[in-house]
Amino acid sequence: MTTRTFDNIRNFSIVAHIDHGKSTLADRLIQTTGTLTAREMTEQVLDSMDIERERGITIKAQTVRLEYLAEDGKTYILNLMDTPGHVDFAYEVSRSLAACEGSLLVVDASQGVEAQTLANVYQAIDANHEIVTVLNKIDLPAADPDRIKEQIEEVIGIDASDAVPISAKTGLNIEAVLEAIVKKLPAPKGDADAPLKALLVDSWYDAYLGVVVLVRIIDGTLKKGMTIKMMGTDASHGVDKVGVFTPKMRDIGSLGPGEVGFFTGSIKEVADTRVGDTITDDRKPTAQALPGFKPVQPVVFCGLFPVDAAEFETLRAAMGRLRLNDASFSYEMETSAALGFGFRCGFLGLLHLEIIQERLEREFNLDLISTAPSVVYHLRMTDGTIKELHNPADMPDVMKIETIKEPWIRATILTPDEYLGAVLKLCQDRRGVQVDLNYVGKRAMLVYDLPLNEVVFDFYDRLKSISKGYASFDYHISDYREGDLVKMSVLVNAEPVDALSMLVHRNRAESRGRAMCEKLKELIPPHMFQIPVQAAIGGKIIARETIRALRKDVTAKCYGGDASRKRKLLDKQKAGKKRMRQFGKVDIPQEAFIAALKMDS
Amino acid sequence: MIDHPTRDAGFGVYVHWPFCASKCPYCDFNSHVRHQPVDQERFLAAFRREIAHTAARIPGRTVTSIFFGGGTPSLMKPETVGAILDAIGAAWSVDAGAEITLEANPTSVEMERFRGYRTAGINRVSLGVQALNDTDLRRLGRMHSVDEALAAVTIAASIFERSSFDLIYARPDQTPQAWRAELERAIGHAAEHLSLYQLTIEPGTWFEKLHRAGKLTVPDDDASRALFDLTQEICEARGLPAYEVSNHARPGAESRHNLVYWRYGEYAGIGPGAHGRLVTGNARLATATEKHPETWLERVERDGHGIIDEEVLTADAEGDEFLLMGLRLKEGIDPRRYTRFTGRTLNERRIRTLEDHGLIVRRADSRLTVTREGFPVLNAVIAELAA
């Protein structure tokens, strides 16, 4: 058995900051190689979900096989792996990158390197990728390719002298990109005669085919009719269909070393397939699994409750449907005194949370209330056991807790110089520890360690607002650190509202509590009686506001016998009441649960 | 016959005269200014037709009250008023003691017609005095002076059996002391009945524009609550307690016509932009006519009526309207009547919550009434009960 190079194949991914033109370039590559006719091209072929298109992000890894007749007269198979670009999906990205030998680094020729570009390109470099640099949007008047090349060399530390200047929008120089892929990126290596060894890159649910698994073959051959084994889960499945995406699914019966494609089989749920797992021949397994496999760990949790309690079952069904396609999202039933029946859900990050919530509301027509996002805390109990805490409402008796650890992130922030002061203050306010401060041209590059629990609130919104949208931000989870954390409860009319409780750092509790009470005072309408709103740690009140009783609202004069007009007003009032949650004697508008979390510190 | 829980509340006829000499900046009522003389003959003919049309739908009623509202009905010629009353008398039978009210502006021009109105059959007038302060009268866009208004009040009391006048308070910059003095003075002139309305900024009015532009400030909730409380106190002390949110009378001098609305009785709305509640069979119809005077006129001439909106009220809608109207009265509501409308009882837990807050009480005779504390926040009280 011998390893050889499969010279006619190139596997590559595209690294880019959002809006720098990744999807447009992908479309151009598909078009230029004649893979799809112009008629078949819908805008941005690869991002197929509505949300993906609207937000310009990729959630699921996708692939397309291009056949390219190069200048040297040979035809190459180019597998473009479109990877999720967001930190929430960092693990999925790392697996997609592991399936390729090289990357195109796409940088906007006027805007230059962004924080997201940096994070992703370093991942590609970590995956031993060769990098081809592409300068996009050179047709724009503001384009300054020489300056950006310098910046790339300076910041990223790679040679950008032969960067390919293109305009994906106008189609300028796309051939040069294809030539660079063939000439500069290495061909895959593998052993065709060895037992099957393939990387599970991603998977999704298809209504007709069941679970579709995206794979990269390292050694051996994946054939229709064989039985494969997932080494991580030890489950075996028969293989029904083996093929490639062009980008339409094309059945080709088998895939060999270096190839990227899909298979379907007797797999019921996406949850049965783990991204990063090694797929091998059930009868003749490979000796060693691929490195780097790890099970998905939700990082951020929040409660999701139907606005209309009658929609609980619909919500349950909707979550089941979404989970069919997204095994990284988890949920279990939760009961809240304030919000009734709902689910505690785990997500890979804040973007993932937003996407799932949006999909539930949009695709299943649900109105949802979400509670404060919470991170996973590690509690060391006085009896020596370790507990994971996903929901502040479940916080055990403090007397039984020895220490609490919380997750920290390492964040990279790029900001124009004039906003540096404000960004530094924001990071300091959020308990950040500065690791590095550098200049990239005229922009400051900050590296900060921050507690994730300070970031899940409104860090990103604040960062965008204090930098007028110019600062870019990326992060990865770094470690767990001990923190002086306390549970802050919120009491409305002297009753604790479980859905508003949260863990906060002791030093930040008072200001957080004050901000929360002030916000609730704004959001809860005056009632017929006075309502105290308090924040408390244990039995100690740390902040208090009072919502004054309604003073006067009666309509002075009725116009003749026009009861209809008053009835319409009453109907409006009733509809408003319906959108509130009755808590004790107090009606709390559902916006309060969300807006109370978005506050300045 | 029909057992509709409405009969005992009486049957009133409302007639709307939609024209004014000028539009007041706070007013959002259906009033229009015409620079050509209004063809009263033509309007009279239309009123007659609409009255006959309504009577054909709900025949055999005994009219307990008639009310001419506007606009400014005192711009009508006394003959027009008389002819309309004749038409009502021909369509239904009118109770011998029926209260027949006309709204009038207290100007000298209109005073000259008072005798004519009395002859035509009007037995009660309601004067739009609005303020006893000449500066504020001008700001409110009124065309009379304080002296003129008080003269009109005196003359009205000598001509008509019964009379009332309106004041608007909680005006921009009005202090409690100033209002106290003004109200005391008003009570000194009031025969038996006063309507005291807090100024509200209504959408679409000139005041709303000023208010939005920051050029007009009205008292905030606290100040307007204080003025409301002061009003109750003074009027009670002077023997004119509130029998409704904004209406005060010596016992027995309440406006019977308005009581028909508030007790949720049956009423016909005649004229442009008038509202009616007609009981046919077991259903209560909510009717509304075309608001624009000339369009209404053409509709009536063509179809015999100007109704552009007609809705059979659902049991719940009836229940809501019953609460909205009835709880404005000091006498409150009989909860059994609510049950007769809706087939269900009021939510006991919510009643108790409101009782606990001292906003309503259940009287020994089982009526549910709003307290002094409850009236200023009546909208919230009703929203709670009706939810």
Side-chain angles (χ1 to χ4, degrees):
Chain A
M1 293 189 262
T2 45
T3 296
R4 69 176 185 88
T5 301
F6 293 85
D7 219 23
N8 64 327
I9 303 176
R10 296 291 184 278
N11 297 316
F12 69 100
S13 71
I14 304 179
V15 170
H17 182 71
I18 191 164
D19 291 339
H20 281 195
K22 179 172 85 164
S23 301
T24 318
L25 174 60
D27 290 351
R28 284 291 173 204
L29 295 176
I30 293 168
Q31 211 179 14
T32 308
T33 54
T35 310
L36 281 185
T37 62
R39 192 176 53 82
E40 291 170 312
M41 295 284 297
T42 58
E43 205 188 333
Q44 295 181 359
V45 178
L46 293 184
D47 291 345
S48 57
M49 260 188 265
D50 279 354
I51 294 178
E52 289 186 324
R53 277 189 209 177
E54 275 167 34
R55 295 188 175 219
I57 51 169
T58 307
I59 298 165
K60 283 274 167 198
Q62 294 189 55
T63 175
V64 58
R65 177 167 161 142
L66 314 169
E67 284 184 15
Y68 173 59
L69 175 61
E71 283 170 4
D72 62 12
K74 287 193 260 180
T75 299
Y76 291 86
I77 292 170
L78 311 181
N79 290 309
L80 161 60
M81 186 80 74
D82 193 20
T83 61
H86 193 273
V87 57
D88 280 6
F89 310 105
Y91 174 67
E92 285 73 4
V93 175
S94 78
R95 294 307 85 199
S96 296
L97 293 175
C100 307
E101 282 76 26
S103 287
L104 300 183
L105 167 63
V106 179
V107 180
D108 185 312
S110 59
Q111 294 186 348
V113 175
E114 298 287 348
Q116 203 182 42
T117 328
L118 271 184
N120 291 342
V121 80
Y122 285 140
Q123 276 200 307
I125 291 167
D126 285 349
N128 292 319
H129 278 197
E130 280 297 325
I131 310 283
V132 167
T133 306
V134 175
L135 295 180
N136 193 18
K137 308 194 188 180
I138 58 155
D139 55 316
L140 296 185
D144 187 354
D146 290 336
R147 181 176 63 85
I148 302 300
K149 272 191 210 175
E150 245 174 70
Q151 193 196 52
I152 290 170
E153 296 189 346
E154 191 184 324
V155 182
I156 306 175
I158 57 173
D159 179 11
S161 57
D162 51 0
V164 189
I166 67 156
S167 167
K169 200 173 129 206
T170 64
L172 178 74
N173 237 359
I174 301 300
E175 289 273 347
V177 177
L178 290 162
E179 281 301 312
I181 292 169
V182 168
K183 288 189 185 130
K184 289 190 193 148
L185 299 186
K189 293 188 175 76
D191 184 344
D193 304 320
L196 174 66
K197 183 189 272 192
L199 173 67
L200 197 163
V201 179
D202 207 344
S203 65
W204 56 88
Y205 189 81
D206 181 287
Y208 300 104
L209 302 170
V211 176
V212 177
V213 183
L214 185 60
V215 289
R216 155 71 196 268
I217 312 297
I218 308 296
D219 293 323
T221 307
L222 175 69
K223 272 196 226 93
K224 181 178 175 167
M226 74 187 286
T227 303
I228 55 98
K229 185 163 92 170
M230 311 269 193
M231 294 180 78
T233 57
D234 216 29
S236 300
H237 299 280
V239 175
D240 293 341
K241 233 184 221 294
V242 177
V244 293
F245 293 97
T246 64
K248 289 171 288 187
M249 278 179 139
R250 204 175 88 207
D251 210 338
I252 61 169
S254 75
L255 289 169
E259 288 192 292
V260 173
F262 72 90
F263 77 89
T264 64
S266 55
I267 307 171
K268 283 202 204 79
E269 287 183 38
V270 166
D272 296 332
T273 60
R274 307 268 178 90
V275 170
D277 203 350
T278 305
I279 293 165
T280 191
D281 189 339
D282 190 42
R283 270 177 231 150
K284 198 174 64 165
T286 181
Q288 206 170 8
L290 293 161
F293 171 63
K294 57 180 186 187
V296 201
Q297 287 288 349
V299 171
V300 176
F301 285 80
C302 83
L304 291 179
F305 294 82
V307 167
D308 180 354
E311 285 189 332
F312 174 74
E313 285 305 328
T314 319
L315 176 60
R316 185 205 292 277
M319 288 193 166
R321 288 277 298 281
L322 280 193
R323 167 130 179 119
L324 271 182
N325 219 351
D326 185 354
S328 56
F329 149 66
S330 65
Y331 63 98
E332 60 182 65
M333 207 180 125
E334 182 187 6
T335 322
S336 153
L339 303 173
F341 290 109
F343 295 94
R344 190 81 193 160
C345 305
F347 307 93
L348 297 175
L350 284 176
L351 178 75
H352 191 212
L353 182 159
E354 270 179 48
I355 288 166
I356 295 284
Q357 191 182 347
E358 206 172 313
R359 289 189 63 188
L360 286 168
E361 295 194 327
R362 198 190 291 200
E363 294 170 27
F364 300 91
N365 209 10
L366 287 160
D367 261 339
L368 298 176
I369 301 177
S370 62
T371 64
S374 163
V375 301
V376 179
Y377 298 96
H378 291 172
L379 312 183
R380 173 187 285 278
M381 310 302 288
T382 47
D383 65 5
T385 56
I386 304 281
K387 275 191 180 156
E388 276 194 4
L389 182 70
H390 294 170
N391 186 350
D394 299 334
M395 176 96 156
D397 180 359
V398 283
M399 298 307 289
K400 292 185 180 153
I401 302 172
E402 182 104 21
T403 57
I404 304 177
K405 283 187 167 182
E406 60 178 327
W408 280 62
I409 61 163
R410 177 150 293 185
T412 306
I413 300 165
L414 276 171
T415 176
D417 195 35
E418 62 254 54
Y419 308 115
L420 178 63
V423 173
L424 284 170
K425 184 177 182 305
L426 175 67
C427 291
Q428 276 328 115
D429 285 349
R430 300 299 173 98
R431 295 194 279 137
V433 177
Q434 200 184 103
V435 178
D436 199 6
L437 171 55
N438 259 307
Y439 275 86
V440 178
K442 281 181 184 153
R443 288 188 303 171
M445 185 175 88
L446 273 168
V447 180
Y448 254 88
D449 282 353
L450 285 155
L452 182 60
N453 110 340
E454 300 284 348
V455 174
V456 294
F457 282 93
D458 59 345
F459 184 84
Y460 192 57
D461 290 348
R462 293 287 305 145
L463 181 69
K464 282 285 172 199
S465 102
I466 59 175
S467 68
K468 302 206 163 66
Y470 284 111
S472 59
F473 166 72
D474 211 323
Y475 72 91
H476 63 267
I477 303 273
S478 53
D479 55 356
Y480 267 78
R481 298 184 196 175
E482 204 174 305
D484 189 5
L485 298 165
V486 289
K487 178 181 166 182
M488 184 176 89
S489 317
V490 175
L491 296 91
V492 174
N493 208 22
E495 292 192 52
V497 181
D498 55 359
L500 291 174
S501 63
M502 61 175 82
L503 259 70
V504 290
H505 193 265
R506 192 179 299 276
N507 293 343
R508 304 253 299 134
E510 208 183 305
S511 63
R512 215 7 124 45
R514 215 177 310 122
M516 176 73 103
C517 291
E518 279 165 17
K519 195 85 179 192
L520 286 172
K521 186 184 174 184
E522 267 171 48
L523 293 167
I524 300 175
H527 282 52
M528 288 166 289
F529 45 90
Q530 175 176 307
I531 305 166
V533 177
Q534 297 156 307
I537 296 171
K540 193 181 157 225
I541 303 295
I542 54 166
R544 181 194 162 108
E545 289 286 338
T546 304
I547 300 167
R548 299 184 45 215
L550 189 62
R551 297 289 289 156
K552 193 164 179 305
D553 73 344
V554 63
T555 312
K557 189 171 187 176
C558 288
Y559 172 39
D562 187 3
S564 309
R565 180 161 148 183
K566 285 182 62 65
R567 183 154 49 83
K568 273 174 203 144
L569 283 176
L570 178 63
D571 286 342
K572 233 189 205 166
Q573 262 177 304
K574 283 198 214 170
K577 263 180 167 327
K578 253 196 188 142
R579 298 216 27 112
M580 302 210 212
R581 286 287 163 150
Q582 191 157 41
F583 196 75
K585 288 177 184 166
V586 181
D587 292 320
I588 304 182
Q590 48 178 291
E591 302 88 71
F593 292 97
I594 301 156
L597 310 168
K598 295 200 169 180
M599 54 194 167
D600 297 352
S601 43
Chain B
M1 235 186 72
I2 319 154
D3 178 34
H4 197 276
T6 291
R7 278 302 144 72
D8 39 358
F11 173 61
V13 178
Y14 176 78
V15 180
H16 191 81
W17 184 256
F19 301 107
C20 284
S22 63
K23 182 90 187 170
C24 298
Y26 56 86
C27 175
D28 73 331
F29 284 9
N30 186 32
S31 63
H32 303 259
V33 177
R34 293 289 175 268
H35 300 291
Q36 304 298 320
V38 171
D39 184 348
Q40 293 204 13
E41 292 304 315
R42 200 172 154 200
F43 271 91
L44 172 61
F47 279 120
R48 283 186 172 130
R49 280 197 69 182
E50 205 171 40
I51 289 165
H53 185 271
T54 312
R57 298 184 75 185
I58 48 163
R61 304 289 194 268
T62 301
V63 178
T64 53
S65 65
I66 299 168
F67 194 100
F68 289 87
T72 308
S74 54
L75 294 178
M76 293 164 92
K77 291 185 282 196
E79 303 80 66
T80 309
V81 172
I84 291 172
L85 288 176
D86 288 345
I88 293 172
W92 296 288
S93 62
V94 178
D95 191 81
E99 173 193 278
I100 302 171
T101 308
L102 179 116
E103 285 183 332
N105 277 342
T107 68
S108 45
V109 181
E110 283 151 306
M111 272 184 264
E112 285 166 16
R113 288 198 281 268
F114 282 5
R115 284 206 180 277
Y117 293 138
R118 179 69 196 97
T119 310
I122 298 294
N123 56 29
R124 183 176 180 272
V125 281
S126 172
L127 297 169
V129 172
Q130 313 312 12
L132 296 180
N133 169 325
D134 282 328
T135 312
D136 282 359
L137 281 175
R138 273 193 300 276
R139 275 208 246 176
L140 291 171
R142 305 299 293 176
M143 308 200 356
H144 57 268
S145 65
V146 173
D147 288 346
E148 213 176 352
L150 290 177
V153 168
T154 309
I155 289 174
S158 70
I159 293 177
F160 299 97
E161 293 156 57
R162 299 172 58 203
S163 64
S164 171
F165 61 88
D166 293 3
L167 291 177
I168 292 173
Y169 70 107
R171 305 192 295 257
D173 309 320
Q174 192 176 34
T175 63
Q177 293 83 337
W179 171 232
R180 175 185 283 276
E182 197 174 335
L183 181 57
E184 296 275 7
R185 188 178 176 200
I187 292 171
H189 287 84
E192 53 162 35
H193 189 285
L194 274 180
S195 298
L196 307 169
Y197 300 111
Q198 284 210 349
L199 176 64
T200 32
I201 305 297
E202 300 291 349
T205 60
W206 178 245
F207 268 12
E208 191 217 9
K209 272 192 201 134
L210 292 178
H211 186 63
R212 248 188 309 166
K215 290 178 184 158
L216 179 85
T217 356
V218 286
D220 64 15
D221 283 2
D222 281 329
S224 86
R225 170 69 185 265
L227 288 167
F228 184 84
D229 290 346
L230 179 66
T231 304
Q232 309 311 305
E233 188 192 302
I234 295 172
C235 287
E236 271 167 32
R238 300 284 303 266
L240 280 168
Y243 66 98
E244 188 263 359
V245 173
S246 307
N247 283 279
H248 300 256
R250 303 200 189 285
E254 298 86 0
S255 160
R256 274 172 245 156
H257 183 79
N258 282 331
L259 282 176
V260 172
Y261 301 148
W262 294 321
R263 288 176 177 161
Y264 207 38
E266 185 177 28
Y267 49 94
I270 307 295
H275 291 258
R277 290 292 179 275
L278 310 180
V279 180
T280 60
N282 267 323
R284 180 185 294 248
L285 295 176
T287 63
T289 53
E290 165 62 41
K291 288 173 105 170
H292 185 261
E294 287 75 19
T295 313
W296 170 84
L297 195 62
E298 283 162 19
R299 279 184 165 271
V300 177
E301 286 170 351
R302 194 186 64 206
D303 304 331
H305 68 88
I307 293 174
I308 51 162
D309 236 329
E310 185 165 302
E311 166 189 13
V312 178
L313 294 178
T314 62
D316 281 351
E318 269 193 289
D320 283 354
E321 289 193 345
F322 171 66
L323 294 179
L324 282 168
M325 300 308 248
L327 289 171
R328 293 183 71 87
L329 288 172
K330 193 175 182 188
E331 67 180 31
I333 57 154
D334 180 349
R336 287 169 298 192
R337 215 174 140 211
Y338 179 81
T339 303
R340 284 172 68 194
F341 282 127
T342 62
R344 57 191 159 80
T345 54
L346 286 164
N347 185 314
E348 181 61 27
R349 189 180 54 81
R350 289 170 182 275
I351 292 180
R352 251 191 234 132
T353 307
L354 292 168
E355 278 180 322
D356 288 348
H357 291 303
L359 302 172
I360 60 170
V361 286
R362 276 184 279 205
R363 291 196 329 208
D365 62 359
S366 88
R367 290 187 77 86
L368 193 73
T369 65
V370 177
T371 63
R372 255 282 284 274
E373 289 296 303
F375 275 118
V377 291
L378 184 62
N379 288 359
V381 170
I382 292 170
E384 183 73 12
L385 281 176

